[in-house]
Amino acid sequence: MNEALKDLGAYVGEKLAGRIQDAQIAYGELTLSVEPGDIIEVLTFLRDDIQCQFFAFIDISGVDYPEREKRFEVVYHLLSPRRNQRVRVKVSTDEEMPLPSANAVFPAANWYEREIYDLYGVLFTDHPDLRRILTDYGFEGHPLRKDFPLTGFVEVRYDDETKRVVYEPVNLRQEFRTFDFLSPWEGTEYVLPGDEKAGSAKSE
């Protein structure tokens, strides 16, 4: 399998000279890294070339690396029934630089790109309907970014007095608890409420 993937990577690299920045084999699939300006040409080639025929569009996923200058990776997953192989294509971008929409090449990319925009804030040019798809109306922020708080910013509840759904700032009912992760046999370094009675009984 690896030999076939190596041959495929060499073939794509030869045909798309200068368009493929890196080609690696990971987890039984070929991974191609390309620049944002080349993504449409690469996807079109993988779909149409007779030796590739990756015309089954599987998914687009996003990854957030806040420590990088280009913090987001957008990963396209394709399947070739002819070759019985998968390929992933990676593109890196930041919060401001949009990516070309793959909707013209793979119409199935429409909702996937909306999801990436909704959850990560990555923009896509020439998308026919780039708007949120999973979060609620008026939602602020992008919940799959690493710097988005786990609690979110607002909470939703039904108010029985006004007979409607209301949005309120998050109000934590208790402070976040800290855990020492010690085993029960080692015991804790602090005394839980009520444990002081057990200690006094032993001393007697």
Side-chain angles (χ1 to χ4, degrees):
M1 177 63 76
N2 283 350
E3 289 300 322
L5 292 176
K6 288 180 182 178
D7 293 343
L8 176 62
Y11 175 77
V12 173
E14 179 183 352
K15 291 293 184 179
L16 295 175
R19 303 290 191 274
I20 306 300
Q21 303 299 316
D22 186 39
Q24 295 182 353
I25 298 174
Y27 305 104
E29 295 180 19
L30 176 65
T31 302
L32 305 174
S33 298
V34 304
E35 292 293 328
D38 298 324
I39 184 62
I40 300 302
E41 182 178 351
V42 171
L43 291 177
T44 303
F45 174 84
L46 292 173
R47 181 195 66 182
D48 296 342
D49 185 80
I50 192 63
Q51 296 298 324
C52 297
Q53 296 188 26
F54 287 94
F55 55 78
F57 189 85
I58 304 300
D59 189 16
I60 304 178
S61 57
V63 190
D64 184 13
Y65 299 99
E67 68 280 0
R68 295 183 183 178
E69 181 179 355
K70 294 183 177 181
R71 63 181 293 183
F72 301 116
E73 271 190 359
V74 177
V75 188
Y76 302 79
H77 301 266
L78 308 177
L79 168 69
S80 172
R82 179 186 183 279
R83 301 183 62 96
N84 191 26
Q85 290 177 338
R86 294 174 182 266
V87 65
R88 65 173 70 92
V89 184
K90 290 185 178 182
V91 181
S92 296
T93 186
D94 55 27
E95 301 176 26
E96 299 179 356
M97 184 175 65
L99 298 176
S101 173
N103 187 73
V105 183
F106 294 104
N110 189 319
W111 281 17
Y112 290 119
E113 290 178 347
R114 286 179 58 186
E115 183 178 348
I116 297 295
Y117 162 70
D118 190 2
L119 302 181
Y120 292 94
V122 176
L123 299 172
F124 294 90
T125 59
D126 299 323
H127 190 282
D129 186 23
L130 190 62
R131 57 191 170 94
R132 291 185 182 270
I133 190 172
L134 294 177
T135 55
D136 202 358
Y137 299 105
F139 189 90
E140 296 183 7
H142 305 281
L144 286 190
R145 288 187 178 185
K146 296 290 179 62
D147 51 10
F148 190 86
L150 294 177
T151 59
F153 296 109
V154 296
E155 56 187 3
V156 183
R157 67 177 178 86
Y158 180 77
D159 190 339
D160 199 41
E161 293 181 3
T162 60
K163 304 298 183 188
R164 66 183 182 88
V165 174
V166 295
Y167 295 79
E168 299 172 333
V170 170
N171 182 18
L172 299 178
R173 299 296 191 269
Q174 68 179 30
E175 294 183 0
F176 284 110
R177 294 160 55 193
T178 57
F179 300 90
D180 53 25
F181 299 106
L182 293 175
S183 73
W185 295 272
E186 293 173 340
T188 59
E189 297 178 358
Y190 52 85
V191 178
L192 294 172
D195 284 356
E196 65 276 359
K197 298 177 184 177
S200 60
K202 288 180 180 179
S203 61
E204 295 175 0

